[in-house]
Amino acid sequence: MAIGPVQLIVLGFNHPNFHGEVIAELERLRENDTVRVIDSLAVYKDAEGNLEVEHLSNLSRDEAIELGSKIGALIGLGFEGEEGMEAGAQAGAEEVAAAGGVHVFTEEEGWDVLEDIPNDSAAALILLEHHWAVPLRDAIFRAGGFRISDGFISPLDLVAIGLLSADEAHEQHHMATHAAAG
């Protein structure tokens, strides 16, 4: 299986107002073979502090067996609970032993999702594979290219080159960096 670039996205939600839109969009992107959700974990804490946890993946079972546990283990996530995490961790440990291990977060950077989520809010970790990028990445490699850096450009930076108006940029920047007022 060709694996595209994998990205870990961490999202926060104040006063969440979920209607299934995010999951529907991830499913639409999967149907178009654009992205695959390798694994995700969403944790919601209601106003009284009660927790709900949900896992989501849109990989087939075969894809999950081949891909999910291995990559999930690299960042400490597992497939099918603790048993899958142990199996995934073992597979991941073997995969990265030659490279000296994987260091995603140091202890100082680590966070306990259950303690850090305030009441009436939610957080989501999404391990996303950019499947659309496989042919582009392979063409770049065949041409002798390699990734030096990557990152998202702030909408505010797009004003200077005329791609967005100042109002559009401020609105998009606010949506991307601040919780919706509720």
Side-chain angles (χ1 to χ4, degrees):
M1 168 187 350
I3 300 170
V6 175
Q7 179 180 23
L8 176 63
I9 302 171
V10 181
L11 304 170
F13 302 86
N14 281 332
H15 316 292
N17 188 15
F18 298 122
H19 298 287
E21 261 185 295
V22 175
I23 292 172
E25 183 59 20
L26 289 170
E27 290 299 330
R28 185 190 69 77
L29 291 169
R30 169 63 174 162
E31 289 170 11
N32 293 326
D33 212 23
T34 305
V35 300
R36 294 189 284 192
V37 176
I38 296 168
D39 197 9
S40 71
L41 173 69
V43 179
Y44 169 68
K45 190 181 283 188
D46 69 17
E48 289 77 41
N50 299 311
L51 290 171
E52 288 183 40
V53 178
E54 185 174 341
H55 288 272
L56 169 73
S57 174
N58 60 18
L59 298 176
S60 70
R61 182 153 178 83
D62 288 343
E63 289 170 328
I65 290 169
E66 184 174 350
L67 175 67
S69 292
K70 290 179 184 176
I71 292 178
L74 295 177
I75 63 166
L77 299 175
F79 179 73
E80 300 220 1
E82 254 183 288
E83 185 177 313
M85 185 168 27
E86 289 174 15
Q90 179 64 36
E94 293 170 5
E95 293 282 325
V96 300
V102 174
H103 308 284
V104 177
F105 299 110
T106 65
E107 286 184 26
E108 296 81 40
E109 295 170 323
W111 54 285
D112 182 349
V113 71
L114 299 178
E115 290 180 17
D116 288 347
I117 296 175
N119 288 359
D120 196 23
S121 68
L125 300 168
I126 303 174
L127 191 60
L128 189 71
E129 181 223 357
H130 293 275
H131 199 64
W132 64 269
V134 171
L136 175 62
R137 181 212 46 218
D138 292 350
I140 291 167
F141 288 159
R142 285 191 299 272
F146 52 92
R147 181 176 58 94
I148 294 174
S149 181
D150 57 59
F152 287 101
I153 304 298
S154 167
L156 299 175
D157 296 328
L158 299 178
V159 175
I161 60 173
L163 286 178
L164 289 176
S165 71
D167 289 340
E168 291 170 320
H170 284 289
E171 181 180 333
Q172 287 184 19
H173 177 74
H174 183 75
M175 287 187 316
T177 59
H178 295 85

